[in-house]
Amino acid sequence: MEQIDFKRILKQIEEIQALFIIAQRIAPYFKELIQFIQETTPIIEEMKNSILESSKKMPAALEQLDKITAATETATVDILDRLDQMQKRVDNALTSIQKIKSNLRQDSEEPLNRTSDLTELEQLEQDILEIQNETFDIMNLLQVQDITTQQIMAANSLIESVQGKLEQLTSRFGRLETQPDIDLYAPESNVGQDKQRAFDPNATFEDRSDVQAMADAILTQSVVSEQPRSEKESNQHSVDNTEMKNDAMATQEEIDKLFDHLK
Amino acid sequence: MQNIRFLAVDDSPTMRRIIVNTLKRIGFNNISEASNGKEALAKIYSEKVDFVITDWNMPEMNGLELIKAIKTDDSLKNLPILMVTTRGVKDDIVEAMKAGVSSYIVKPFSPQTLKEKIEQILKS
C-alpha cells in the first residue's frame, strides 16, 4: 500500500485555499465587468444603428447637394443663353437706330425714305419685344432660387439629424447628462419642416411637364367624377384610380395610360 | 376680368415676385401677397380677394391647411384656389384635389401654364 504523503496533500489544500481567496477577491471585479458589458452592449448596439442610419443619410445629403449643383448649372446656362440672345437683339437694335439716323440725315437733302425707315423701325420694335421676352424668361428662370433653397434645407436637415444622433451618442459615452431623445423620423420635425421655412425634400429644377400632365389628368378626372352620372357616362371618362402608383412620381407610361382613358 | 384681386401666397419672396410679375404681364394688376397660410387667411377676411394662388410648403400654416380652412367656411368655399408647388407625387395632387383646389401647377412652371390655368378656372 502506498504511503499517504500528508505534506503534499496539505500543500495542495493550501493552494486550493489560496485560489479561493483570489477568486473571492476577483469576484467583485468580475461582477463589475459583467455589469459593464451589460450596460455598454445597448450603447454599442445604438452606436452601430446610428452609424448605419447616418451612413444611409449622408449619401442622401450628398445627392441633394448634387441636385443643387445641377439645378444652378441648368439655370445659369439657360440665363446665359438668354443673355446671348439679348446681346444679339441689342446689337440689331443699335444697327437699326444707326440706319434710321442715317436715313434722317439724308432726308434733309433727299426725298424722305419712309419705307426704309418704317422697316427699320419695325425691326427695332421686334428686337425690343424680344429683349422684353428674354428678360421675362430670365426672371422666370430665377425660380431656381426657391427650388435650390428647398434642396439646401433638405440637405441641412439630413446633416443636422446625423449631428444630433452623434451628439446623443457622445453624451452617453461621456456619462454626461442624458439629452432628450431626438426623433429622427418625426415626419414634420426634421424632414419637410424648418424653423424659418418649410421645404419639399423632392424639389427639383428638372423639366416636370410629365408631372404637370399627371396633375392635369387627376384634376380633369376629379371634374368628370363630379358630373351627374348620365353626363359622365356620355363623356366616357371613367378612369381607374388604382392604375397608377400612389407613392411615387408617375411614369410617362402611366400618364399616357391615364390620358388614353381620358380621350 | 382684369379687376380680379389675386392673393399670391408663398414663403419665398423670389417666388412671390415671379408670380406677381407674371400676373402683371398677363394683365392682372390687382395683386396682394402673403408669406404663409395664416397671413393669407387674415388677408382673405380683411380684403376682398377673388383668386388665391398658393404654395404648399410654408411655415405656420401650409397651403393645404389654408385650402381646408377656406373650404370649410361657407362664405369662402367658392373662392378659386390655384396651387403652385414643387410637390409632384400623385398622392399629394390627389390630396390637394380632395381638399378643394381648383387647379394644380408643379414648379418650376412656365408663365404660359400659369396663364392657362387661371383662364381655365375663371372660365369654369
Side-chain angles (χ1 to χ4, degrees):
Chain A
M1 199 174 167
E2 202 178 314
Q3 198 180 357
I4 298 166
D5 188 351
F6 284 107
K7 275 188 181 176
R8 198 165 68 91
I9 290 169
L10 273 172
K11 198 182 172 190
Q12 282 175 345
I13 289 169
E14 277 172 8
E15 280 174 7
I16 290 165
Q17 192 185 15
L19 271 175
F20 273 113
I21 291 164
I22 291 166
Q24 209 173 6
R25 285 180 185 166
I26 289 172
Y29 294 110
F30 265 115
K31 205 175 165 185
E32 212 171 302
L33 182 68
I34 289 162
Q35 198 180 344
F36 174 75
I37 291 166
Q38 280 173 340
E39 278 175 6
T40 51
T41 304
I43 297 173
I44 290 165
E45 189 65 27
E46 196 184 323
M47 190 174 85
K48 191 188 86 180
N49 291 338
S50 295
I51 291 166
L52 273 172
E53 199 178 279
S54 302
S55 65
K56 280 177 192 166
K57 285 192 173 180
M58 289 317 283
L62 289 174
E63 196 186 325
Q64 284 289 352
L65 295 174
D66 283 344
K67 276 164 76 178
I68 296 160
T69 311
T72 49
E73 181 74 29
T74 307
T76 308
V77 169
D78 283 349
I79 288 170
L80 286 171
D81 288 347
R82 301 296 194 285
L83 288 171
D84 283 348
Q85 288 298 322
M86 282 171 73
Q87 196 61 53
K88 281 178 194 165
R89 300 279 177 198
V90 169
D91 288 345
N92 289 346
L94 285 170
T95 308
S96 295
I97 290 168
Q98 290 299 327
K99 282 182 183 171
I100 294 165
K101 274 169 74 180
S102 168
N103 284 346
L104 285 171
R105 282 198 194 100
Q106 286 171 5
D107 284 343
S108 59
E109 295 158 12
E110 294 173 20
L112 197 66
N113 191 352
R114 286 178 187 276
T115 317
S116 172
D117 277 351
L118 190 63
T119 311
E120 287 305 329
L121 277 170
E122 279 169 354
Q123 183 57 49
L124 183 60
E125 187 185 26
Q126 188 57 38
D127 285 332
I128 290 169
L129 281 172
E130 290 295 338
I131 290 168
Q132 194 183 37
N133 286 338
E134 301 288 358
T135 55
F136 190 68
D137 285 348
I138 289 173
M139 183 204 71
N140 202 48
L141 282 165
L142 292 174
Q143 286 183 65
V144 72
Q145 192 273 338
D146 175 55
I147 288 162
T148 51
T149 300
Q150 296 194 54
Q151 289 169 337
I152 289 167
M153 282 178 174
N156 273 351
S157 168
L158 289 164
I159 294 165
E160 275 174 13
S161 69
V162 170
Q163 186 193 3
K165 201 74 187 169
L166 290 175
E167 277 174 5
Q168 198 183 353
L169 273 175
T170 316
S171 70
R172 287 278 195 98
F173 271 110
R175 300 269 180 208
L176 299 171
E177 274 184 34
T178 50
Q179 294 176 349
D181 284 353
I182 301 163
D183 184 4
L184 298 179
Y185 298 105
E188 293 297 320
S189 63
N190 285 298
V191 179
Q193 217 63 44
D194 190 71
K195 295 155 203 157
Q196 303 295 318
R197 277 195 62 193
F199 61 90
D200 173 13
N202 300 315
T204 173
F205 193 64
E206 289 161 15
D207 176 24
R208 304 183 83 188
S209 45
D210 55 344
V211 182
Q212 185 59 54
M214 176 185 65
D216 293 346
I218 292 167
L219 267 293
T220 310
Q221 183 191 343
S222 146
V223 171
V224 170
S225 63
E226 280 169 12
Q227 288 173 350
R229 192 178 172 79
S230 57
E231 196 182 337
K232 194 162 64 177
E233 279 166 0
S234 67
N235 283 338
Q236 297 287 311
H237 279 173
S238 174
V239 177
D240 183 2
N241 221 356
T242 58
E243 283 180 7
M244 294 203 302
K245 293 167 199 159
N246 290 325
D247 58 348
M249 303 280 182
T251 63
Q252 189 56 55
E253 197 184 335
E254 286 168 332
I255 294 163
D256 292 344
K257 206 173 171 185
L258 183 61
F259 270 96
D260 286 343
H261 279 287
L262 288 167
K263 278 174 191 168
Chain B
M1 193 180 262
Q2 305 304 304
N3 288 326
I4 291 169
R5 184 159 179 80
F6 281 86
L7 177 62
V9 193
D10 201 306
D11 56 334
S12 159
T14 309
M15 198 49 83
R16 282 204 306 274
R17 197 163 162 181
I18 290 170
I19 291 169
V20 168
N21 283 353
T22 309
L23 287 172
K24 283 182 180 170
R25 193 173 161 89
I26 296 168
F28 299 108
N29 292 303
N30 196 355
I31 310 152
S32 183
E33 293 178 44
S35 60
N36 60 58
K38 205 174 165 183
E39 203 182 306
L41 210 55
K43 287 207 172 181
I44 289 167
Y45 283 115
S46 64
E47 300 171 13
K48 183 191 167 290
V49 173
D50 305 307
F51 200 115
V52 177
I53 299 176
T54 183
D55 183 23
W56 185 317
N57 291 98
M58 291 182 291
E60 293 198 57
M61 182 191 261
N62 67 37
L64 197 72
E65 289 165 341
L66 171 67
I67 297 165
K68 285 175 182 170
I70 291 170
K71 294 295 167 185
T72 50
D73 186 327
D74 281 345
S75 65
L76 299 173
K77 66 180 179 187
N78 293 322
L79 184 63
I81 306 166
L82 172 60
M83 183 163 258
V84 182
T85 174
T86 53
R87 296 172 83 124
V89 177
K90 193 199 167 197
D91 273 355
D92 290 337
I93 301 165
V94 171
E95 199 177 352
M97 181 199 75
K98 282 179 181 168
V101 77
S102 312
S103 197
Y104 196 99
I105 294 180
V106 184
K107 290 179 191 173
F109 64 93
S110 71
Q112 188 56 32
T113 309
L114 186 68
K115 188 180 178 223
E116 281 169 11
K117 299 296 168 204
I118 291 170
E119 284 172 353
Q120 262 174 28
I121 295 170
L122 292 178
K123 268 182 200 169
S124 64

